């Protein structure tokens, strides 16, 4: 068999290992993350962004628009 066919069969085998309800589990975990953040008075509206926000070290808020411009004066 060609290596491509072997690889595609391997991917097919992996997809059969996961149950069809697997995406539902991810949504439950996202919702639980938002619940835990709410206990700490942090409001989150998009569950998918919690994973990206977990990697943040520093967050800057800009009310005047000076940080969001393309140039610094």
């Amino acid at each position: 068999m060609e290596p491509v066919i072997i690889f595609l069969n391997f991917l097919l085998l992996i997809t059969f290992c996961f149950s069809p309800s697997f995406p539902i589990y991810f949504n439950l975990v996202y919702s639980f993350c938002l619940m835990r953040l709410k206990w700490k008075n942090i409001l989150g509206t998009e569950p998918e962004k919690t994973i990206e926000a977990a990697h943040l070290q520093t967050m800057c808020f800009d009310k005047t628009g000076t940080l969001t411009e393309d140039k610094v004066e």
Side-chain angles (χ1 to χ4, degrees):
M1 293 177 77
E2 288 185 42
V4 174
I5 301 294
I6 294 173
F7 181 71
L8 290 177
N9 284 334
F10 174 72
L11 288 178
L12 186 64
L13 178 69
I14 295 227
T15 56
F16 283 128
C17 293
F18 295 111
S19 68
S21 61
F22 198 66
I24 296 172
Y25 298 141
F26 274 113
N27 287 333
L28 286 174
V29 169
Y30 287 147
S31 298
F32 185 70
C33 287
L34 287 178
M35 237 173 38
R36 289 187 65 192
L37 286 173
K38 190 174 180 181
W39 290 338
K40 295 183 178 190
N41 293 326
I42 300 172
L43 178 63
T45 56
E46 296 184 31
E48 296 83 18
K49 301 295 182 183
T50 56
I51 302 300
E52 295 174 16
H55 300 289
L56 291 178
Q57 296 289 329
T58 304
M59 181 178 282
C60 298
F61 293 95
D62 181 24
K63 187 176 177 183
T64 60
T66 54
L67 293 176
T68 56
E69 292 181 2
D70 292 337
K71 61 182 179 176
V72 177
E73 294 180 10

